[in-house]
Amino acid sequence: MSDALCWQSAGTLAAAVRRGERSAVEVLEAHLDRARAVEPRLGAFVRLCEERARRAAEEIDRRVAGGEDPGPLAGVPLGVKDNLCVRGVETTAASRILSGYLPPYTATAVARLEAAGAVVLGKLNLDEFAMGSSTETSAYGPTRNPWDPERVPGGSSGGSAASVAAGEVPLSLGSDTGGSIRQPAALCGCVGVKPTYGLVSRYGLIAFASSLDQVGPLARTCADAALALDALVGPDPRDATSASPPWDPAARPFAAAVAAASLEGRTLGVVPEYLERTADPEVRTAVEKALGAAERAGARLREVSLRSADEAIPAYQIVSTAEASSNLARYDGVRFGRRCAAPKDLEDLYARTRGEGFGREVKRRIVLGTFVLSSGFYEAYYLRGQDARRRVRADLLAALDDVDALVGPTSPVPAFRLGERLDDPLAMYSVDVFSVSANLAGLPALSLPCGFTAAGLPVGLQLTGRPFADPDLLALGRGLEEALALPKRRPLP
Ligand code: GLN
């Protein structure tokens, strides 16, 4: 019985709690039981905040008993990637350098979901500072893929995807700088949305590359992701890059779009360069089958070429590492988190705190980013990277002129084995080939499940849309879910 609660949608759970048919405490306890049962095999959470969650759930139940409506996410258990600050709850971005850091404020994205009634169950594992594609660079050790624990869940939001796929929470928050919401969603078989740049506040998100970072939801269905997005989007005076969309966020545009979803008469742009670069034939087959199902449901397919396809990864590497080297300069042993023992002088304090506190991948990015920004190399690398970024954006916007969304695989490969790519950075970076463009261009993109390989590994389909077409992108996702009608499967019994 209690396990069955863990496979209900966020929408169903919230409706039952709002009507007083289920208590938020009962919903919470069922999910905590499930987490205790699977965490030893999964490692999705870096910490649970049980006491805080119980207090929040009890408060929701009190409000329902008092005739109040706690909101559209009433009692919905929520997992939060550990690079989003929650006041008074240790937040580390999976880095030793932030161990013990207690944020004095809560990220806007978390606060908005809590204000809608969600209950934070705990903090989720990630690649250190969200740098990676496998959740293996975490200082806490890796998270495992719920469909095959010998494989990675993807990254960097591996904990966010694995926890949702394994039924520990119906909803989680992740961050996406170059694919970190969509790629783990694809590898774990759930839905992940990277909104248009600026649509969701970055306040309280530990910065990786500020011009690319976006916060977004992961869920098991597009309807649940839409429920979260209606609570998340909208301008925030605390984030100067937060944007006002050309529609009214208060009108719940995501729920409305998903409710009216249809593929009839919609045009999807199929990018041949993406299919050609899909290394795994089973991924390609699953995506082609999904395109067929979309056509049968009334969608038109049109081939659109992206000439910038090979520029995206180099542009992303230059821009993201440059911004990371600047953002990570603040971890100096003076202001945040951990400090080395017995420093001799200030220089020694900086060097040893950073030397001991950062892992290999983070150091590699800081060195690369410092190099591309250094005088003498700035023009040759950083400025050329920015030029390439502009070409990628122009290319994508032109391709989107004649179609409602671009469609293709989210990742060229399904979940790979733990350790397989860890010592080969270029092999690790290559799995981002289809995801980084949306960040470079600031466009909305989502991944949804579109099938399984013969070995039972999920395959993800990516949709990319025009700026602020986010509600319509969710509607297209919902339409594809209906057209595909995938059988419900559950990992980790
Ligand atoms: N995998 C990409 C990287 O390693 C993207 C990470 C992200 O989106 N945070 O940089």
Side-chain angles (χ1 to χ4, degrees):
M1 182 64 237
S2 77
D3 198 57
L5 274 184
C6 299
W7 296 103
Q8 290 188 0
S9 71
T12 305
L13 290 172
V17 170
R18 289 166 103 177
R19 285 197 298 263
E21 291 165 12
R22 294 242 178 242
S23 73
V25 169
E26 173 189 7
V27 171
L28 171 68
E29 295 302 338
H31 286 83
L32 283 171
D33 284 348
R34 174 75 181 155
R36 276 189 285 265
V38 299
E39 272 305 292
R41 288 173 283 168
L42 203 59
F45 281 93
V46 297
R47 70 192 62 80
L48 293 171
C49 19
E50 295 189 32
E51 284 318 306
R52 188 182 182 282
R54 274 197 194 98
R55 282 197 303 275
E58 283 163 7
E59 175 60 20
I60 301 240
D61 289 335
R62 259 195 299 279
R63 290 175 62 191
V64 174
E68 275 179 65
D69 180 1
L73 292 171
V76 172
L78 172 71
V80 176
K81 188 175 181 179
D82 199 34
N83 61 353
L84 284 157
C85 292
V86 177
R87 185 181 168 163
V89 176
E90 187 181 357
T91 299
T92 67
S95 181
R96 272 191 304 277
I97 210 160
L98 274 173
S99 65
Y101 174 60
L102 297 178
Y105 53 83
T106 296
T108 298
V110 178
R112 286 191 177 169
L113 294 185
E114 287 191 305
V119 172
V120 174
L121 199 85
K123 304 300 295 290
L124 293 160
N125 203 15
L126 66 151
D127 282 297
E128 184 178 3
F129 282 105
M131 296 175 187
S133 306
S134 66
T135 315
E136 292 171 292
T137 73
S138 166
Y140 298 101
T143 295
R144 290 163 184 273
N145 191 306
W147 299 96
D148 177 354
E150 296 309 309
R151 292 176 187 266
V152 303
S156 64
S157 312
S160 306
S163 59
V164 166
E168 294 177 294
V169 282
L171 191 65
S172 67
L173 280 173
S175 66
D176 191 311
T177 305
S180 276
I181 290 175
R182 292 160 285 152
Q183 185 259 13
L187 271 47
C188 289
C190 52
V191 172
V193 185
K194 182 206 93 75
T196 297
Y197 184 77
L199 195 57
V200 176
S201 171
R202 291 184 294 111
Y203 179 74
L205 169 70
I206 295 176
F208 164 8
S210 309
S211 77
L212 304 163
D213 297 340
Q214 256 302 276
V215 177
L218 294 95
R220 288 190 292 267
T221 62
C222 287
D224 274 0
L227 196 61
L229 283 160
D230 272 326
L232 283 169
V233 302
D236 176 9
R238 287 167 161 156
D239 173 1
T241 61
S242 87
S244 290
W247 29 261
D248 177 14
R252 309 191 55 73
F254 287 91
V258 165
S262 163
L263 292 179
E264 197 61 55
R266 308 306 306 276
T267 310
L268 301 175
V270 181
V271 182
E273 288 84 355
Y274 284 180
L275 288 177
E276 283 157 23
R277 286 161 182 72
T278 302
D280 188 284
E282 284 189 280
V283 170
R284 190 172 167 157
T285 306
V287 168
E288 284 168 346
K289 274 197 184 150
L291 295 175
E295 254 186 325
R296 285 192 296 281
R300 272 193 302 268
L301 303 182
R302 177 176 305 176
E303 200 173 279
V304 283
S305 183
L306 282 181
R307 285 166 50 219
S308 65
D310 289 327
E311 287 195 285
I313 286 200
Y316 171 77
Q317 285 300 327
I318 288 171
V319 173
S320 68
T321 56
E323 293 186 22
S325 72
S326 163
N327 274 325
L328 270 56
R330 75 191 69 179
Y331 304 106
D332 54 6
V334 178
R335 286 172 291 178
F336 301 95
R338 178 191 144 116
R339 175 180 300 179
C340 68
K344 283 201 303 287
D345 52 27
L346 191 61
E347 190 75 17
D348 187 47
L349 169 94
Y350 291 156
R352 281 205 292 119
T353 296
R354 289 168 70 82
E356 294 165 12
F358 289 133
R360 265 179 83 81
E361 183 60 26
V362 172
K363 285 177 185 163
R364 175 162 30 236
R365 308 256 182 142
I366 292 173
V367 170
L368 258 168
T370 307
F371 173 76
V372 300
L373 286 175
S374 58
S375 74
F377 295 103
Y378 179 83
E379 283 85 0
Y381 292 98
Y382 184 68
L383 291 186
R384 281 178 64 202
Q386 290 287 25
D387 283 343
R389 178 181 191 169
R390 274 188 287 274
R391 283 194 294 276
V392 169
R393 178 173 162 85
D395 200 19
L396 279 166
L397 288 175
L400 282 161
D401 253 353
D402 307 322
V403 300
D404 294 308
L406 300 174
V407 61
T410 308
S411 159
V413 290
F416 43 93
R417 290 185 185 283
L418 285 158
E420 189 182 304
R421 291 172 194 249
L422 198 54
D423 298 322
D424 185 350
L426 293 183
M428 188 70 91
Y429 303 162
S430 72
V431 301
D432 304 331
V433 57
F434 308 137
S435 57
V436 295
S437 298
N439 303 78
L440 290 166
L443 302 178
L446 66 79
S447 179
L448 78 153
C450 76
F452 286 86
T453 65
L457 299 173
V459 176
L461 185 80
Q462 178 172 244
L463 292 173
T464 307
R466 284 186 283 271
F468 299 113
D470 306 56
D472 188 47
L473 207 59
L474 268 290
L476 290 170
R478 172 76 195 116
L480 278 158
E481 280 174 349
E482 273 173 17
L484 287 162
L486 293 180
K488 291 266 169 288
R489 294 197 204 181
R490 292 172 184 175
L492 292 182

